[in-house]
Amino acid sequence: MEEKELKMYGGIWGGLVPLVVLLVGMIWLSIEAKGNPRAFWACTWIAIAVGMFFACDKAEYCKAAMRGIGDKTGIVIVAAWLFAGVFGTLMKAGGLVNGLLWLGMTTGAQGAVFTLLVFIAAMLFALGTGTSTGTCIALAPVLYPAGYFLGADPTLLGLAILSGAAFGDNLAPVSDTTIVSAYTQGAAMKDVVRSRFPLAMFAAAVAGAVFIVFGGGGEVKVLPEIKATLNPSGLLMLLALAVVVFSALRGSHIIASLVYGNITAAVVGICIGTIKVEQLFNLPKNGSTGLIQDGINGVVAPIIFAILVLAVTQILVESGIMRKILAFAEKSVVASVRQAELFIVGVTILASVPISANAPAELLVGPSLVKPMGEKFNLAPARRANLMDCAVCTIFFTLPWHLCVVAWNGALSSAAKNYGIPAPDIMSALYNPYSWALLAVLVFSAVTGWNRRFADKSDSGEAA
């Protein structure tokens, strides 16, 4: 982001006003279980409006906000989200949910083995769609009651869905957190995916071990009819995910990779009969021109919130707050690359705690704190992106006021009510195995230097 000097009444305290107003509003909405990107629009708008009265030069304050909104990194992120939103919609419309339900329910697995299969199914769905919240909403209604009647431990069964959702949010090239982390750090998507894979998979292996050891113990009962279309052909939609990953790993721009994936998803869906050509685009029916519009509609709320967060972040940067935080950290806390990485992890987690959507937390600290700190110690852009993205997928997926956790608990409770069975309490999210395993892996990586990479001449500073 372009850095200028914005003078505020009260100095640094005046510059903090927009951030304080924003956080107070979001925390309040989250406590009232109303936290979501659309609801946060008002918080960000009020934060920007209130902050203007603390600016010595109102015109410069407005220009700072506009510079944040018009930042080229933000524009790329918005464009990528638009195509990722359509991709996720096509994957769901193509029957990926039903394919994974078929995979989980026709294996004859029971108890802990079924819990592990649910974890794998959630991982695949989240990888394919890039949405952690959507994963919980889509899979919980069938896989949770099925697992309960097949002898799985109810709490670990529910956590298997949440853990799989966190895994996909962490690793999927189409995930909002992956897109934001890569582009705020100027990292090539191929480098991000390749280098993040061992971190995510090691944590997944630890979580999988927890599920296979502790995921059983329930009583196997007569399985009632589960109302779902168990269609194995939906698994073919994973071909579209493979296209996106392969294209990204070959170095294609993320938007190009998503276009290839979108086309593949549409073609596969049409070939297996789950998507009709007229569903993609047609004369408006019920207010929609088809799946493409639906996909874009699904990401409008987080995009607008992200744009407004970029405005607040630019105001914080130009008022000198982020510069003072960096100077303090460099003088009093950070004296080595190990400490720099732990600082990046810590500040990102701290930013994600009060905000019930984790991509905006990356927008808040990525350009202003993570990037300059990492550049000082010559950390590769992909390494900075991975530290930040993994960090927002740890504690975030354990706290009961966060959007995904609320959606997860709501989906479980609704499914349990339909079948007259108990549901895990929302506080059980605090035991999310994948998130804690990922945090342990992340700290281990920062302390030991495992998976660390330094910038070289091939790291141009711009995302490919």
Side-chain angles (χ1 to χ4, degrees), residues 246-322:
F246 178 75
S247 176
L249 290 178
R250 290 199 63 185
S252 297
H253 194 283
I254 184 58
I255 294 178
S257 299
L258 286 168
V259 169
Y260 302 146
N262 278 315
I263 293 172
T264 304
V267 171
V268 171
I270 291 170
C271 289
I272 64 178
T274 53
I275 295 177
K276 297 180 179 179
V277 175
E278 58 267 24
Q279 287 181 274
L280 299 174
F281 180 80
N282 52 44
L283 293 177
K285 296 179 180 179
N286 299 321
S288 171
T289 55
L291 293 174
I292 296 174
Q293 180 188 332
D294 293 343
I296 294 173
N297 281 341
V299 294
V300 166
I303 282 176
I304 292 177
F305 180 49
I307 289 172
L308 293 172
V309 168
L310 285 169
V312 173
T313 303
Q314 186 68 17
I315 291 166
L316 294 174
V317 169
E318 295 192 18
S319 63
I321 293 170
M322 296 306 193

Coordinates of all heavy atoms in Angstrom, one line a residue, residues 246-322:
F246 N -3.6 -28.1 -10.6 CA -2.6 -28.4 -11.6 C -2.2 -27.1 -12.3 O -1.0 -26.8 -12.5 CB -3.1 -29.4 -12.6 CG -2.1 -29.7 -13.7 CD1 -1.0 -30.5 -13.5 CD2 -2.3 -29.2 -15.0 CE1 -0.1 -30.8 -14.5 CE2 -1.4 -29.5 -16.0 CZ -0.3 -30.2 -15.7
S247 N -3.2 -26.3 -12.6 CA -2.9 -25.0 -13.3 C -2.1 -24.1 -12.4 O -1.2 -23.4 -12.9 CB -4.2 -24.4 -13.8 OG -4.0 -23.1 -14.4
A248 N -2.6 -24.0 -11.2 CA -1.9 -23.1 -10.2 C -0.4 -23.5 -10.0 O 0.5 -22.7 -10.0 CB -2.6 -23.0 -8.9
L249 N -0.2 -24.9 -9.9 CA 1.1 -25.4 -9.7 C 2.0 -25.2 -10.9 O 3.3 -25.1 -10.7 CB 1.1 -26.8 -9.3 CG 0.5 -27.2 -7.9 CD1 0.4 -28.7 -7.7 CD2 1.3 -26.5 -6.8
R250 N 1.4 -25.1 -12.1 CA 2.2 -24.8 -13.3 C 2.6 -23.3 -13.4 O 3.3 -22.9 -14.3 CB 1.5 -25.3 -14.5 CG 1.4 -26.8 -14.6 CD 1.0 -27.2 -16.0 NE 2.1 -26.8 -17.0 CZ 2.0 -27.0 -18.3 NH1 0.9 -27.5 -18.8 NH2 3.0 -26.6 -19.1
G251 N 2.0 -22.5 -12.5 CA 2.4 -21.1 -12.6 C 1.3 -20.2 -13.2 O 1.6 -19.0 -13.4
S252 N 0.2 -20.7 -13.6 CA -0.9 -19.9 -14.2 C -1.4 -18.9 -13.1 O -1.4 -19.2 -11.9 CB -2.0 -20.7 -14.7 OG -1.6 -21.6 -15.7
H253 N -1.9 -17.7 -13.6 CA -2.5 -16.8 -12.7 C -3.7 -17.4 -12.0 O -4.4 -18.2 -12.7 CB -2.9 -15.5 -13.5 CG -3.2 -14.3 -12.6 ND1 -4.4 -14.2 -11.9 CD2 -2.5 -13.2 -12.3 CE1 -4.4 -13.1 -11.3 NE2 -3.3 -12.5 -11.5
I254 N -4.0 -17.1 -10.8 CA -5.1 -17.7 -10.1 C -6.4 -17.5 -10.8 O -7.3 -18.4 -10.8 CB -5.2 -17.2 -8.6 CG1 -6.3 -17.9 -7.8 CG2 -5.4 -15.7 -8.6 CD1 -6.1 -19.4 -7.8
I255 N -6.6 -16.4 -11.4 CA -7.9 -16.1 -12.1 C -8.0 -17.0 -13.4 O -9.0 -17.6 -13.7 CB -8.0 -14.6 -12.5 CG1 -8.2 -13.8 -11.3 CG2 -9.2 -14.4 -13.5 CD1 -8.3 -12.3 -11.5
A256 N -6.8 -17.2 -14.1 CA -6.8 -18.1 -15.2 C -7.1 -19.5 -14.7 O -7.9 -20.3 -15.4 CB -5.5 -18.1 -15.9
S257 N -6.5 -19.9 -13.6 CA -6.7 -21.3 -13.1 C -8.2 -21.5 -12.7 O -8.8 -22.5 -13.0 CB -5.8 -21.5 -11.9 OG -4.5 -21.4 -12.2
L258 N -8.8 -20.5 -12.2 CA -10.2 -20.6 -11.8 C -11.1 -20.6 -13.0 O -12.1 -21.3 -13.0 CB -10.6 -19.4 -10.9 CG -10.1 -19.4 -9.4 CD1 -10.2 -18.1 -8.7 CD2 -10.8 -20.5 -8.7
V259 N -10.7 -19.9 -14.1 CA -11.5 -20.0 -15.3 C -11.5 -21.4 -15.8 O -12.5 -22.0 -16.2 CB -11.0 -19.0 -16.3 CG1 -11.7 -19.2 -17.7 CG2 -11.3 -17.5 -15.9
Y260 N -10.3 -22.0 -15.9 CA -10.2 -23.4 -16.3 C -11.0 -24.3 -15.5 O -11.7 -25.2 -15.9 CB -8.7 -23.8 -16.3 CG -7.8 -23.0 -17.1 CD1 -6.5 -22.8 -16.7 CD2 -8.2 -22.4 -18.3 CE1 -5.6 -22.1 -17.5 CE2 -7.3 -21.7 -19.1 CZ -6.0 -21.5 -18.6 OH -5.1 -20.7 -19.4
G261 N -11.0 -24.1 -14.1 CA -11.7 -24.9 -13.2 C -13.2 -24.7 -13.4 O -14.0 -25.7 -13.3
N262 N -13.7 -23.5 -13.6 CA -15.1 -23.2 -13.8 C -15.6 -23.9 -15.0 O -16.7 -24.5 -15.0 CB -15.3 -21.7 -13.9 CG -15.4 -21.0 -12.6 OD1 -16.1 -21.5 -11.7 ND2 -14.7 -19.9 -12.5
I263 N -14.8 -23.9 -16.1 CA -15.2 -24.5 -17.3 C -15.3 -26.0 -17.1 O -16.3 -26.7 -17.6 CB -14.3 -24.2 -18.5 CG1 -14.4 -22.7 -18.8 CG2 -14.6 -25.0 -19.7 CD1 -13.4 -22.2 -19.8
T264 N -14.3 -26.6 -16.5 CA -14.3 -28.0 -16.2 C -15.5 -28.4 -15.4 O -16.1 -29.5 -15.6 CB -13.0 -28.4 -15.5 OG1 -11.9 -28.0 -16.3 CG2 -12.9 -29.9 -15.3
A265 N -15.8 -27.7 -14.3 CA -16.9 -28.0 -13.4 C -18.2 -28.0 -14.2 O -19.0 -28.9 -14.0 CB -16.9 -27.0 -12.3
A266 N -18.4 -27.0 -15.1 CA -19.6 -26.9 -15.8 C -19.7 -28.1 -16.8 O -20.8 -28.7 -16.9 CB -19.6 -25.6 -16.6
V267 N -18.6 -28.4 -17.5 CA -18.7 -29.5 -18.5 C -18.9 -30.8 -17.8 O -19.7 -31.6 -18.2 CB -17.3 -29.5 -19.3 CG1 -17.3 -30.8 -20.1 CG2 -17.2 -28.3 -20.1
V268 N -18.2 -31.1 -16.7 CA -18.4 -32.3 -15.9 C -19.8 -32.4 -15.4 O -20.5 -33.5 -15.5 CB -17.4 -32.5 -14.8 CG1 -17.8 -33.7 -13.9 CG2 -16.0 -32.6 -15.3
G269 N -20.3 -31.3 -14.8 CA -21.7 -31.3 -14.3 C -22.7 -31.6 -15.4 O -23.7 -32.4 -15.2
I270 N -22.5 -31.0 -16.6 CA -23.4 -31.3 -17.7 C -23.3 -32.7 -18.2 O -24.4 -33.4 -18.5 CB -23.1 -30.3 -18.9 CG1 -23.5 -28.9 -18.5 CG2 -23.8 -30.7 -20.1 CD1 -23.0 -27.8 -19.4
C271 N -22.1 -33.3 -18.2 CA -21.9 -34.6 -18.7 C -22.5 -35.7 -17.8 O -23.1 -36.7 -18.3 CB -20.4 -34.9 -18.9 SG -19.7 -34.0 -20.3
I272 N -22.5 -35.4 -16.5 CA -23.0 -36.4 -15.5 C -24.5 -36.1 -15.2 O -25.2 -36.9 -14.5 CB -22.2 -36.5 -14.2 CG1 -22.3 -35.2 -13.5 CG2 -20.8 -36.9 -14.5 CD1 -21.6 -35.2 -12.1
G273 N -25.0 -35.1 -15.8 CA -26.5 -34.8 -15.7 C -26.9 -34.0 -14.5 O -28.1 -33.9 -14.3
T274 N -26.0 -33.5 -13.7 CA -26.4 -32.8 -12.5 C -26.5 -31.3 -12.8 O -27.1 -30.6 -11.9 CB -25.3 -33.0 -11.4 OG1 -24.0 -32.7 -11.9 CG2 -25.3 -34.4 -10.9
I275 N -26.0 -30.8 -13.9 CA -26.1 -29.4 -14.3 C -26.7 -29.4 -15.7 O -26.2 -30.1 -16.6 CB -24.8 -28.7 -14.2 CG1 -24.3 -28.6 -12.8 CG2 -24.9 -27.2 -14.8 CD1 -22.9 -27.9 -12.7
K276 N -27.7 -28.5 -15.9 CA -28.2 -28.3 -17.2 C -27.7 -27.0 -17.8 O -27.4 -26.1 -17.0 CB -29.8 -28.2 -17.1 CG -30.4 -29.5 -16.7 CD -31.9 -29.4 -16.6 CE -32.6 -30.7 -16.2 NZ -34.1 -30.6 -16.1
V277 N -27.5 -27.0 -19.1 CA -26.9 -25.8 -19.7 C -27.6 -24.5 -19.3 O -27.0 -23.5 -19.0 CB -26.9 -26.0 -21.2 CG1 -26.4 -24.7 -21.9 CG2 -26.0 -27.2 -21.6
E278 N -29.0 -24.6 -19.3 CA -29.8 -23.4 -19.0 C -29.6 -22.9 -17.6 O -30.0 -21.8 -17.3 CB -31.2 -23.6 -19.4 CG -31.9 -24.8 -18.6 CD -31.8 -26.1 -19.4 OE1 -30.9 -26.2 -20.2 OE2 -32.7 -27.0 -19.1
Q279 N -29.1 -23.8 -16.7 CA -28.9 -23.4 -15.3 C -27.7 -22.4 -15.2 O -27.6 -21.6 -14.3 CB -28.6 -24.6 -14.4 CG -29.8 -25.5 -14.1 CD -29.4 -26.6 -13.2 OE1 -29.0 -27.7 -13.7 NE2 -29.6 -26.4 -11.9
L280 N -26.8 -22.5 -16.1 CA -25.6 -21.6 -16.1 C -26.0 -20.1 -16.3 O -25.5 -19.2 -15.6 CB -24.6 -22.1 -17.1 CG -24.0 -23.5 -16.9 CD1 -23.1 -23.9 -18.1 CD2 -23.3 -23.6 -15.6
F281 N -26.7 -19.9 -17.4 CA -27.2 -18.6 -17.7 C -28.5 -18.6 -18.5 O -28.6 -19.4 -19.5 CB -26.1 -17.9 -18.5 CG -26.5 -16.4 -18.9 CD1 -26.3 -15.4 -18.0 CD2 -27.0 -16.2 -20.2 CE1 -26.7 -14.1 -18.3 CE2 -27.3 -14.9 -20.5 CZ -27.2 -13.8 -19.6
N282 N -29.4 -17.9 -18.0 CA -30.7 -17.9 -18.7 C -31.5 -16.6 -18.4 O -31.0 -15.7 -17.7 CB -31.6 -19.1 -18.3 CG -31.7 -19.2 -16.8 OD1 -31.9 -18.2 -16.1 ND2 -31.5 -20.4 -16.3
L283 N -32.7 -16.5 -19.0 CA -33.5 -15.3 -18.6 C -33.8 -15.4 -17.1 O -34.1 -16.5 -16.6 CB -34.8 -15.3 -19.5 CG -34.6 -15.1 -21.0 CD1 -35.9 -15.2 -21.7 CD2 -34.0 -13.7 -21.2
P284 N -33.9 -14.3 -16.4 CA -34.0 -14.3 -15.0 C -35.2 -15.2 -14.5 O -36.4 -15.0 -15.0 CB -34.2 -12.9 -14.6 CG -33.5 -12.1 -15.7 CD -33.7 -12.9 -16.9
K285 N -34.9 -16.1 -13.6 CA -36.0 -16.9 -13.0 C -35.8 -16.7 -11.5 O -34.7 -17.0 -10.9 CB -35.8 -18.4 -13.3 CG -36.0 -18.7 -14.8 CD -35.8 -20.2 -15.1 CE -36.0 -20.5 -16.6 NZ -35.8 -21.9 -16.9
N286 N -36.9 -16.3 -10.8 CA -36.8 -16.0 -9.4 C -35.7 -15.0 -9.1 O -35.0 -15.1 -8.1 CB -36.6 -17.3 -8.6 CG -37.7 -18.3 -8.8 OD1 -38.9 -17.9 -8.9 ND2 -37.3 -19.6 -8.9
G287 N -35.5 -14.1 -10.0 CA -34.5 -13.0 -9.7 C -33.1 -13.4 -10.1 O -32.2 -12.6 -9.8
S288 N -32.8 -14.6 -10.6 CA -31.4 -14.9 -10.9 C -31.3 -15.4 -12.4 O -32.2 -16.0 -12.9 CB -31.0 -16.1 -10.0 OG -29.8 -16.6 -10.4
T289 N -30.2 -15.0 -13.0 CA -29.9 -15.4 -14.3 C -29.2 -16.8 -14.4 O -28.9 -17.3 -15.5 CB -29.1 -14.4 -15.1 OG1 -27.9 -14.2 -14.3 CG2 -29.8 -13.1 -15.3
G290 N -29.0 -17.4 -13.2 CA -28.4 -18.7 -13.2 C -27.3 -18.9 -12.2 O -27.1 -18.0 -11.3
L291 N -26.5 -20.0 -12.3 CA -25.5 -20.4 -11.4 C -24.4 -19.3 -11.3 O -23.8 -19.1 -10.2 CB -25.0 -21.7 -11.7 CG -25.9 -22.9 -11.5 CD1 -25.3 -24.2 -12.0 CD2 -26.4 -23.0 -10.0
I292 N -24.0 -18.7 -12.5 CA -23.0 -17.8 -12.5 C -23.3 -16.6 -11.6 O -22.5 -16.1 -10.7 CB -22.6 -17.3 -13.9 CG1 -22.1 -18.5 -14.7 CG2 -21.6 -16.2 -13.9 CD1 -21.9 -18.2 -16.2
Q293 N -24.5 -16.1 -11.7 CA -25.0 -14.9 -10.9 C -25.0 -15.4 -9.4 O -24.6 -14.6 -8.5 CB -26.3 -14.4 -11.3 CG -26.8 -13.3 -10.5 CD -28.2 -12.8 -10.8 OE1 -28.7 -13.0 -11.9 NE2 -28.9 -12.3 -9.8
D294 N -25.5 -16.6 -9.2 CA -25.6 -17.1 -7.8 C -24.3 -17.1 -7.1 O -24.1 -16.8 -6.0 CB -26.3 -18.4 -7.8 CG -27.7 -18.4 -8.2 OD1 -28.3 -17.3 -8.2 OD2 -28.3 -19.5 -8.5
G295 N -23.3 -17.6 -7.9 CA -21.9 -17.6 -7.4 C -21.4 -16.3 -7.0 O -20.7 -16.1 -6.0
I296 N -21.6 -15.3 -7.9 CA -21.1 -13.9 -7.6 C -21.9 -13.4 -6.4 O -21.3 -12.7 -5.6 CB -21.3 -13.1 -8.9 CG1 -20.4 -13.6 -10.0 CG2 -21.0 -11.6 -8.6 CD1 -20.6 -12.9 -11.3
N297 N -23.2 -13.6 -6.4 CA -24.0 -13.1 -5.2 C -23.4 -13.6 -3.9 O -23.4 -12.9 -2.9 CB -25.4 -13.5 -5.4 CG -26.2 -12.7 -6.4 OD1 -25.8 -11.5 -6.7 ND2 -27.3 -13.2 -6.8
G298 N -23.0 -14.8 -3.9 CA -22.5 -15.4 -2.7 C -21.2 -14.8 -2.1 O -21.0 -15.0 -0.9
V299 N -20.5 -14.1 -2.9 CA -19.3 -13.4 -2.4 C -19.4 -11.9 -2.4 O -18.4 -11.2 -2.0 CB -18.0 -13.8 -3.3 CG1 -17.7 -15.3 -3.1 CG2 -18.2 -13.5 -4.8
V300 N -20.5 -11.4 -2.7 CA -20.7 -9.9 -2.6 C -20.4 -9.4 -1.2 O -19.7 -8.4 -1.0 CB -22.1 -9.5 -3.2 CG1 -22.4 -8.0 -2.8 CG2 -22.1 -9.7 -4.7
A301 N -21.0 -10.0 -0.2 CA -20.9 -9.5 1.1 C -19.5 -9.5 1.6 O -19.0 -8.4 2.1 CB -21.8 -10.4 2.1
P302 N -18.7 -10.6 1.5 CA -17.3 -10.5 2.0 C -16.5 -9.6 1.1 O -15.5 -8.9 1.7 CB -16.8 -12.0 1.9 CG -17.8 -12.6 1.0 CD -19.1 -12.0 1.2
I303 N -16.8 -9.4 -0.2 CA -16.0 -8.5 -1.0 C -16.2 -7.0 -0.5 O -15.2 -6.3 -0.4 CB -16.4 -8.6 -2.5 CG1 -15.8 -9.9 -3.1 CG2 -16.0 -7.4 -3.3 CD1 -16.2 -10.2 -4.5
I304 N -17.4 -6.6 -0.3 CA -17.7 -5.3 0.2 C -17.0 -5.0 1.5 O -16.4 -4.0 1.8 CB -19.2 -5.0 0.2 CG1 -19.8 -5.0 -1.2 CG2 -19.5 -3.6 0.9 CD1 -21.3 -4.8 -1.3
F305 N -17.2 -6.0 2.4 CA -16.5 -5.9 3.7 C -15.0 -5.7 3.6 O -14.4 -4.9 4.2 CB -16.9 -7.1 4.6 CG -16.3 -7.0 6.0 CD1 -16.4 -5.9 6.8 CD2 -15.6 -8.1 6.5 CE1 -15.8 -5.8 8.0 CE2 -15.1 -8.1 7.7 CZ -15.2 -6.9 8.5
A306 N -14.4 -6.6 2.7 CA -13.0 -6.5 2.5 C -12.5 -5.1 1.9 O -11.5 -4.6 2.3 CB -12.6 -7.6 1.5
I307 N -13.3 -4.6 1.0 CA -13.0 -3.3 0.4 C -13.0 -2.2 1.5 O -12.1 -1.4 1.6 CB -14.0 -2.9 -0.7 CG1 -13.7 -3.8 -1.9 CG2 -13.9 -1.5 -1.0 CD1 -14.8 -3.7 -3.0
L308 N -14.0 -2.3 2.4 CA -14.1 -1.3 3.5 C -12.9 -1.5 4.5 O -12.4 -0.5 5.1 CB -15.4 -1.4 4.2 CG -16.6 -1.0 3.3 CD1 -17.9 -1.3 4.0 CD2 -16.6 0.5 3.0
V309 N -12.6 -2.8 4.8 CA -11.4 -3.0 5.7 C -10.1 -2.5 5.1 O -9.3 -2.0 5.8 CB -11.3 -4.6 5.9 CG1 -10.0 -4.9 6.6 CG2 -12.5 -5.0 6.8
L310 N -10.0 -2.6 3.8 CA -8.8 -2.0 3.1 C -8.7 -0.5 3.3 O -7.6 0.0 3.5 CB -8.8 -2.3 1.6 CG -8.4 -3.8 1.2 CD1 -8.8 -4.0 -0.2 CD2 -7.0 -4.1 1.5
A311 N -9.9 0.2 3.3 CA -9.9 1.6 3.6 C -9.4 1.9 5.0 O -8.6 2.8 5.3 CB -11.3 2.2 3.4
V312 N -9.9 1.1 6.0 CA -9.5 1.3 7.4 C -8.1 1.0 7.6 O -7.3 1.8 8.3 CB -10.4 0.4 8.3 CG1 -9.8 0.5 9.8 CG2 -11.8 0.8 8.3
T313 N -7.6 0.0 6.9 CA -6.2 -0.4 7.0 C -5.3 0.7 6.5 O -4.2 1.0 7.1 CB -5.9 -1.7 6.3 OG1 -6.8 -2.7 6.8 CG2 -4.5 -2.1 6.4
Q314 N -5.6 1.3 5.4 CA -4.8 2.4 4.8 C -4.8 3.6 5.7 O -3.7 4.2 5.8 CB -5.4 2.7 3.4 CG -4.5 3.7 2.7 CD -3.2 3.1 2.2 OE1 -3.0 1.9 2.2 NE2 -2.2 4.0 1.9
I315 N -5.9 3.9 6.4 CA -5.9 5.0 7.3 C -5.0 4.7 8.5 O -4.2 5.6 8.9 CB -7.4 5.2 7.8 CG1 -8.2 5.8 6.7 CG2 -7.4 6.1 9.0 CD1 -9.7 5.7 7.0
L316 N -5.0 3.4 9.0 CA -4.1 3.1 10.1 C -2.6 3.2 9.6 O -1.8 3.7 10.4 CB -4.3 1.6 10.5 CG -5.7 1.3 11.1 CD1 -5.9 -0.2 11.4 CD2 -5.8 2.1 12.5
V317 N -2.3 2.8 8.4 CA -1.0 2.9 7.9 C -0.5 4.3 7.8 O 0.6 4.7 8.2 CB -0.9 2.1 6.5 CG1 0.5 2.4 5.9 CG2 -1.0 0.6 6.7
E318 N -1.3 5.1 7.1 CA -0.9 6.5 6.9 C -0.9 7.4 8.1 O -0.2 8.4 8.2 CB -1.8 7.1 5.8 CG -1.7 6.4 4.5 CD -2.3 7.2 3.3 OE1 -2.6 8.4 3.5 OE2 -2.5 6.6 2.3
S319 N -1.6 7.0 9.2 CA -1.6 7.7 10.4 C -0.4 7.3 11.3 O -0.1 7.9 12.3 CB -2.9 7.5 11.2 OG -3.0 6.2 11.6
G320 N 0.4 6.3 10.8 CA 1.6 6.0 11.5 C 1.5 4.9 12.5 O 2.5 4.5 13.1
I321 N 0.3 4.4 12.7 CA 0.1 3.4 13.8 C 0.9 2.1 13.5 O 1.6 1.6 14.4 CB -1.4 3.1 14.0 CG1 -2.1 4.3 14.6 CG2 -1.6 1.9 15.0 CD1 -3.6 4.2 14.6
M322 N 0.7 1.6 12.3 CA 1.4 0.3 12.0 C 2.9 0.5 12.0 O 3.6 -0.4 12.4 CB 0.9 -0.2 10.6 CG -0.6 -0.5 10.5 SD -1.0 -1.7 11.8 CE -2.7 -2.2 11.2

